[in-house]
Amino acid sequence: MKHYDIIIIGGGPIGLACGIEAKKAGFSYLILEKGALVNSLYNYPLNMTFFSTSERLEIGNVPFMSINSKPTRIEALEYYRRVTKQWELNIHLFEEVKGFEKTGVRYQIKSSKTEYTAENVIIATGFYDIPNLMNVPGEDLPKVTHYYKDPNFYAFQKVLVIGANNSAVDAAMETWRKGAEVTMVIREEGIGERVKYWVKPDIENRIKEGSITAHFNSQIKEIREKEVVITTPSGEKVIENDWVIAMTGYQPNLPFLQSLGINLSKDEIMKPQYSDESMETNLPNVYLAGVVCGGMNTHSLFIENSRVHAEQIVSSILEKRA
């Protein structure tokens, strides 16, 4: 069984940052990623533009050059690939961690391919894995997706977009521009306040002029093969429909944390227990990094304000060895 000083679970930007700090400190380490490199970013919509500027997404002192101040998904994928190559990070892709347990002073980590031991474990698994379900009849139909990718797929189709924040607005605008007949279903009374400031007026104007139909203070009641039932303030409406893009948000894999023995808060946030200074959880030598630290409050942490977690964690490990 191969032994490392540090095993890092998650090969997103923060997981890579943890690997860089571990390497700089002279630790033996391994990053385990269940999918492709920066898998969450890979699964973002093809035409996505980040809210953050490129310099705020930098890790490892590698400059992030983008055509515009706010980089695109494809620019970010190329940047983090270059970071991984430049730092020669030790990473195994398409190898999922199933769990781990403490054996003496070490942790025994079981992956989909083999087992490892490590003195320290860093969990940087993000929050893009589990979509928030609507729990309505028909949600499991093939025409329903919680992951929007390419607008061309929906050209000249009747598309229903659920949600009012950035991902929903992007899906609505992009599919409409490809010729789709777009209807939005929004629980709130308007477009979300977190929508990118350069996009918000655009979607609001398309709704105002009638190019995109929006039902506010409404929700889905049922999804059928060729139609959708919507509950609106003026009563139920049945509309023809080919595809449903449910941008209802995502959540971290909190059951995975619980299965490991990490304590979660008892409220609806279910925030994991960790030290703000060291990022160490209630499990000795097990640390959290990145968005997963926020629990269900997935909008509190981003790449730009959680990059520092890598330095905090490695500093804590170094102090324990001093």
Side-chain angles (χ1 to χ4, degrees):
M1 216 179 301
K2 182 72 173 177
H3 177 74
Y4 294 92
D5 294 325
I6 304 172
I7 289 282
I8 301 162
I9 305 174
I14 304 305
L16 299 182
C18 290
I20 290 170
E21 292 302 318
K23 186 169 186 176
K24 286 164 58 177
F27 291 122
S28 62
Y29 71 95
L30 172 64
I31 305 170
L32 295 172
E33 166 56 55
K34 72 175 185 178
L37 184 67
V38 288
N39 194 60
S40 292
L41 301 191
Y42 174 78
N43 286 305
Y44 282 175
L46 294 181
N47 302 321
M48 195 206 97
T49 298
F50 282 83
F51 199 101
S52 303
T53 55
S54 55
E55 64 268 17
R56 291 182 176 274
L57 301 177
E58 291 177 355
I59 59 174
N61 295 318
V62 178
F64 187 170
M65 307 299 293
S66 59
I67 295 175
N68 299 305
S69 61
K70 294 177 171 57
T72 63
R73 164 190 171 273
I74 194 168
E75 289 175 322
L77 290 176
E78 176 59 19
Y79 170 72
Y80 291 114
R81 186 194 66 80
R82 287 192 297 105
V83 169
T84 303
K85 183 177 181 180
Q86 181 167 324
W87 277 94
E88 298 181 332
L89 294 177
N90 186 23
I91 183 169
H92 289 184
L93 301 174
F94 301 99
E95 184 171 349
E96 182 178 2
V97 172
K98 299 296 186 179
F100 60 76
E101 59 183 10
K102 201 168 188 343
T103 56
V105 296
R106 297 179 172 184
Y107 285 95
Q108 186 171 330
I109 297 96
K110 184 176 183 179
S111 80
S112 56
K113 296 183 178 180
T114 187
E115 295 186 5
Y116 309 92
T117 59
E119 295 172 25
N120 304 276
V121 179
I122 302 174
I123 302 172
T125 48
F127 77 102
Y128 204 58
D129 289 337
I130 304 174
N132 295 322
L133 299 180
M134 299 174 289
N135 296 314
V136 298
E139 187 172 9
D140 57 347
L141 287 172
K143 73 175 194 174
V144 181
T145 180
H146 288 271
Y147 293 92
Y148 165 69
K149 196 78 171 178
D150 184 358
N152 292 284
F153 179 85
Y154 301 98
F156 311 120
Q157 299 284 288
K158 292 178 172 60
V159 176
L160 185 78
V161 178
I162 303 168
N165 290 313
N166 281 299
S167 55
V169 169
D170 287 346
M173 290 298 300
E174 291 181 8
T175 54
W176 172 73
R177 289 198 168 101
K178 296 301 180 182
E181 181 182 317
V182 178
T183 300
M184 299 183 74
V185 174
I186 299 168
R187 288 186 303 176
E188 298 79 15
E189 61 184 16
I191 295 298
E193 293 302 319
R194 290 194 302 268
V195 171
K196 289 169 280 197
Y197 65 85
W198 64 92
V199 175
K200 195 169 187 286
D202 197 0
I203 184 66
E204 290 176 335
N205 286 333
R206 301 295 76 75
I207 292 171
K208 185 177 180 180
E209 71 187 16
S211 297
I212 292 174
T213 301
H215 296 284
F216 297 104
N217 298 308
S218 303
Q219 56 188 345
I220 296 295
K221 181 178 180 181
E222 183 181 355
I223 302 170
R224 301 169 182 165
E225 288 286 350
K226 290 296 181 180
E227 57 192 17
V228 175
V229 182
I230 308 169
T231 302
T232 76
S234 59
E236 286 188 5
K237 296 183 183 294
V238 180
I239 65 171
E240 293 183 10
N241 170 259
D242 297 309
W243 302 98
V244 175
I245 305 174
M247 298 287 92
T248 51
Y250 309 92
Q251 57 183 280
N253 193 345
L254 298 176
F256 175 69
L257 299 186
Q258 284 182 308
S259 72
L260 301 174
I262 295 174
N263 295 332
L264 306 180
S265 65
K266 302 301 183 182
D267 56 18
E268 67 278 4
I269 302 299
M270 300 176 70
K271 183 179 179 180
Q273 180 182 338
Y274 63 90
S275 162
D276 290 330
E277 183 176 336
S278 68
M279 308 307 294
E280 187 174 15
T281 69
N282 57 287
L283 300 180
N285 301 329
V286 175
Y287 301 84
L288 295 181
V291 181
V292 70
C293 298
M296 293 297 290
N297 189 5
T298 55
H299 297 288
S300 62
L301 292 167
F302 310 91
I303 297 172
E304 64 180 69
N305 66 358
S306 58
R307 296 175 297 179
V308 67
H309 293 172
E311 297 176 7
Q312 292 175 251
I313 292 169
V314 173
S315 293
S316 174
I317 296 172
L318 284 169
E319 287 177 7
K320 287 184 178 184
R321 290 200 168 188

